[in-house]
Amino acid sequence: KAENALHESRSILKAIINALPDLKFRISKTGLFLDYYESEYENEVPFYPPSEFIGKTLPDVLPSYVAELGMSKIFEAIDTKQVRSFEYFIPYTDELAYYEGRVSPVSEDEAIVTIRNISDRKKVQLALQEKLRELDEKNRQLTQYIESNFQLENFAYIASHDLREPVRTMHS
């Protein structure tokens, strides 16, 4: 029974890992890549195939600003025993590639780090921010036009009122 339960548990964990499209690494508290968990639906990594990360440290394979951020999140996750996430970008060919990392502590010395490519989501967010900026600018222009139109209406009312008085005087 215990062997069947263990086999079933492993099968469930393997199915869960395989279903996630993220890159999954087991990393030590010192930043050493210990293991890589394969999945059928891999995200692309611009530098190395994930299997080549094993035995290297974060500073060996990532830019220093990403390695420092990753290490701080690994320490934070292990110390607090809670999942920590972070986003970073890496220049790749002629544009930036954006990634989201999630760190889940395993023990006092290790964590599982999942990496997801969020470049498409970031592009959409940036395009949305640009559209919001454009709408804000159009809204400011419209507000100015409305204010100007209101001032013109007031002027026209005052002018017509002022012009009516001489006509009334002449009429009377």
Side-chain angles (χ1 to χ4, degrees), residues 91-138:
Y92 183 60
T93 60
D94 59 342
E95 58 184 38
L96 296 176
Y98 294 90
Y99 296 91
E100 175 187 49
R102 291 183 176 264
V103 183
S104 180
V106 174
S107 68
E108 293 294 320
D109 299 318
E110 296 178 2
I112 297 291
V113 179
T114 59
I115 306 296
R116 176 175 291 180
N117 186 329
I118 59 168
S119 296
D120 292 338
R121 179 173 65 182
K122 275 293 187 187
K123 287 176 187 171
V124 169
Q125 284 176 342
L126 292 172
L128 182 60
Q129 286 175 348
E130 180 61 25
K131 289 294 181 192
L132 285 173
R133 190 195 62 71
E134 288 175 14
L135 284 173
D136 189 45
E137 180 60 31
K138 298 269 186 207

Side-chain angles (χ1 to χ4, degrees), residues 1-13:
K1 274 185 164 181
E3 209 170 290
N4 284 342
L6 181 62
H7 177 70
E8 183 179 348
S9 177
R10 284 185 179 162
S11 296
I12 290 171
L13 286 175

Side-chain angles (χ1 to χ4, degrees), residues 27 29 69-86 101-113:
I27 301 178
K29 195 172 188 174
L69 178 61
M71 287 303 300
S72 72
K73 293 299 178 177
I74 289 171
F75 283 122
E76 193 177 318
I78 289 174
D79 289 343
T80 63
K81 296 178 179 38
Q82 295 180 350
V83 174
R84 294 292 183 235
S85 62
F86 60 100
R102 291 183 176 264
V103 183
S104 180
V106 174
S107 68
E108 293 294 320
D109 299 318
E110 296 178 2
I112 297 291
V113 179

